[in-house]
Amino acid sequence: MNKLKAPKPVGPYSLFRYLNDGSDWVTCGQIPLDPESGELNNETIEQEVNQVFDNIEAVLAENNKSINDVKKFTVYLTDLVNTPLVNAQIEKRVSEPFPARTTIQVSALPMGSRVEIECLG
């Protein structure tokens, strides 16, 4: 049983939605919110990236999916220098063949986060 818990949305949106005929799905972007406190887990960028992936796995598990069901990640970073940290988490958590991915550098993210990731499956 999955011990991870998904954080509550911070706005009027769904964490997970089925698309089309129900065979495809999408998650909202996950930032490093601690699901217990509702605060950012952002002491280090490594903690942020790890928390985002924990949140993704929790959202997926709550919808009977796993991270290996992801077909594409869209990654938003405030600094592309942190891309290797994202790569390391993908290699640690996802089996090959790896999902497609788009990585975009942005000037800011919600609540001052340095990383946000959404998934398509």
Side-chain angles (χ1 to χ4, degrees), residues 7-13 15 28 31 33 38 110-111:
K8 293 187 182 332
V10 295
Y13 55 85
L15 294 177
C28 70
I31 60 174
L33 284 178
M111 299 177 68

Side-chain angles (χ1 to χ4, degrees), residues 26-27 34 40 47 53 59 77 89 103 111 121:
V26 63
T27 69
D34 178 294
L40 286 183
Q47 286 176 318
F53 277 97
V59 168
L77 293 168
Q89 285 298 315
T103 304
M111 299 177 68

Side-chain angles (χ1 to χ4, degrees), residues 9 16 42 46 52 56 71 79-80 88-89 116:
F16 180 98
N42 66 343
E46 291 84 0
V52 166
I56 288 168
K71 294 177 186 171
D79 190 339
L80 290 176
Q89 285 298 315
E116 181 173 0

Side-chain angles (χ1 to χ4, degrees), residues 1-7 33-36 50-63 65-67 89 93:
M1 181 170 171
N2 181 32
K3 296 177 186 168
L4 297 174
K5 180 180 172 188
L33 284 178
D34 178 294
E36 298 299 321
N50 188 60
Q51 185 69 59
V52 166
F53 277 97
D54 284 352
N55 292 350
I56 288 168
E57 289 189 306
V59 168
L60 294 175
E62 289 177 7
N63 290 280
K65 303 291 179 198
S66 83
I67 200 159
Q89 285 298 315
R93 296 174 187 244

